[in-house]
Amino acid sequence: MPIAVSACLLGEPCRYDGKSRPCEAVLRLRATHELVSVCPETLGGLPVPRTPCEIVAAERALRVVDADGGDATDAFLAGAAKTVELVRERGCTLAVLKAKSPSCGNGFVYDGTFSGALVPGYGVAARALREAGVRVVDEAQLAACLEVGEARHPGCAPAVLATTSAECPSLGTERLVLRPLTSDDIDDVFAYCSDPAVGPDAGWAPHRTREDARMFVEVIASRPHVFGIFEKVSAGEGAGAGIGTEGPCIGSIGLIRDPQRRNVDCLMLGYALARSAWGRGYMTEAAREVLRYGFAELGLGLITCTHYTFNDRSRRVIEKSGFVHEGTLHGMEATPDGLAQDAEAYYLTRERWSRLQGAVGA
């Protein structure tokens, strides 16, 4: 996967002061990924070195000024447009940009007073990339995700860079293994997906043939951050089973795009579980691990979830996982029987999740 990267983080001397800010976490990616160097400000025609610029936070309309009072808005907009064009041409879906920059800042930028004060916001190019559907992280966010991933999954590729299920690490809880599905799991998937008590509650028709299950696994495998759920089998529970051996697949869980939100820092939690595994707390256990994965290893800012209003089992899982109810989506979609169903919508922010983890550990 090609990754767009601020040129200064790659060691190119293109900053306003004529210097660079090489980042070790970024440079390490060169060994495994194609890095596409971008400097929105030079793409917009600004020289190196140049007078420092900031976004004027006090004004509602976008305005970028330099330290001498000159208006640089047009150059920044032109550079942002060229950056988006280049990133699209190269097929990048992730950009690692320089923190706090008026072009590349991601979450915080300087406020336009040239006093060193930061305010919540995004650089001009970062805004344009996010609007174009490109996920943006800064160098500190990337380093944090890589550090957590390496500690949890030594030797595995970083989850934040995954583009398919096969590139994601396996996860584990006390009783479960969560790993990417493969063609070897098709029979297990068909066993629970063909149950009429499972699919309709999640919005899809029960599988009628093994081919339905095969296509389901292929679709899941083409997406990142979606996992099969497997029980850990202890010694003595099944022929030849050793401690930590996984049993058959009993469900799936993952983080997918939320069709209700245009937010590249947000994914939606979805799941399904075999009827034989209901009532044992498995889905709550799996959901908590996937939420940790989403916030700590992917660096997401928001995770959402919905359930049909009639689905009390799913509601209990969501509430136990710390989500906040935000309302009812009336007639959200039609279930396989053709009836329009209401759904309850929930959200969980990174900040709330972090507070809940602290409360659990207290």
Side-chain angles (χ1 to χ4, degrees):
M1 175 185 73
I3 302 170
V5 179
S6 288
C8 62
L9 297 177
L10 293 171
E12 298 179 27
C14 59
R15 282 168 50 88
Y16 74 92
D17 56 6
K19 299 179 181 179
S20 65
R21 286 290 187 273
C23 172
E24 181 182 353
V26 170
L27 295 175
R28 284 164 49 199
L29 300 182
R30 279 178 163 165
T32 54
H33 291 77
E34 176 190 356
L35 303 185
V36 179
S37 175
V38 296
C39 178
E41 293 173 28
T42 58
L43 284 172
L46 294 175
V48 180
R50 54 189 173 273
T51 306
C53 296
E54 294 185 3
I55 296 173
V56 182
E59 298 183 9
R60 189 170 182 85
L62 173 66
R63 190 161 74 96
V64 184
V65 298
D66 64 32
D68 296 329
D71 192 313
T73 308
D74 288 346
F76 273 74
L77 287 172
K82 290 181 178 179
T83 299
V84 171
E85 181 180 0
L86 175 61
V87 166
R88 281 177 168 164
E89 286 178 356
R90 301 297 291 273
C92 304
T93 57
L94 175 69
V96 183
L97 303 185
K98 183 70 187 78
K100 307 172 188 176
S101 155
S103 282
C104 299
N106 187 55
F108 288 93
V109 292
Y110 292 110
D111 70 352
T113 64
F114 297 91
S115 63
L118 291 168
V119 292
Y122 294 85
V124 180
R127 297 182 194 185
L129 287 169
R130 288 167 57 86
E131 182 66 22
V134 177
R135 178 131 193 254
V136 176
V137 298
D138 63 35
E139 69 273 28
Q141 292 169 323
L142 174 69
C145 289
L146 296 184
E147 182 179 359
V148 172
E150 289 170 357
R152 300 280 300 203
H153 321 289
C156 293
V160 70
L161 306 179
T163 58
T164 67
S165 176
E167 296 171 358
C168 295
S170 295
L171 310 178
T173 70
E174 181 180 354
R175 299 181 295 168
L176 303 172
V177 173
L178 311 179
R179 66 157 173 81
L181 289 170
T182 71
S183 58
D184 292 337
D185 303 313
I186 291 174
D187 288 337
D188 292 341
V189 169
F190 180 62
Y192 77 82
C193 285
S194 59
D195 185 340
V198 174
D201 282 0
W204 37 269
H207 291 185
R208 299 180 62 186
T209 67
R210 189 176 182 277
E211 179 66 10
D212 293 336
R214 185 191 65 77
M215 293 178 63
F216 178 79
V217 169
E218 284 188 358
V219 169
I220 284 182
S222 70
R223 300 174 177 173
H225 321 311
V226 182
F227 308 90
I229 303 173
F230 302 80
E231 287 182 284
K232 288 182 179 177
V233 180
S234 300
E237 291 184 277
I243 295 175
T245 301
E246 65 182 42
C249 181
I250 57 171
S252 58
I253 186 169
L255 298 168
I256 60 176
R257 187 181 67 84
D258 184 343
Q260 308 297 328
R261 287 175 167 84
R262 294 177 59 190
N263 180 351
V264 291
D265 291 326
C266 169
L267 289 176
M268 182 172 69
L269 179 69
Y271 48 79
L273 189 66
R275 180 163 28 173
S276 61
W278 292 358
R280 302 167 70 178
Y282 279 170
M283 191 53 75
T284 300
E285 187 173 321
R288 287 173 176 166
E289 172 60 10
V290 171
L291 292 175
R292 182 208 61 77
Y293 170 83
F295 288 122
E297 296 191 43
L298 302 183
L300 297 175
L302 180 72
I303 296 177
T304 61
C305 196
T306 62
H307 69 80
Y308 291 136
T309 301
F310 61 76
N311 192 342
D312 285 336
R313 287 190 307 276
S314 192
R315 174 183 57 78
R316 289 192 291 270
V317 169
I318 294 169
E319 291 176 348
K320 289 178 182 178
S321 300
F323 282 86
V324 177
H325 184 248
E326 59 183 337
T328 301
L329 297 171
H330 295 284
M332 184 187 76
E333 64 184 15
T335 44
D337 57 11
L339 298 177
Q341 295 289 346
D342 294 348
E344 305 305 318
Y346 299 78
Y347 72 93
L348 181 61
T349 63
R350 179 185 180 87
E351 292 75 20
R352 175 175 167 80
W353 174 80
S354 296
R355 290 196 302 271
L356 292 174
Q357 302 316 296
V360 170

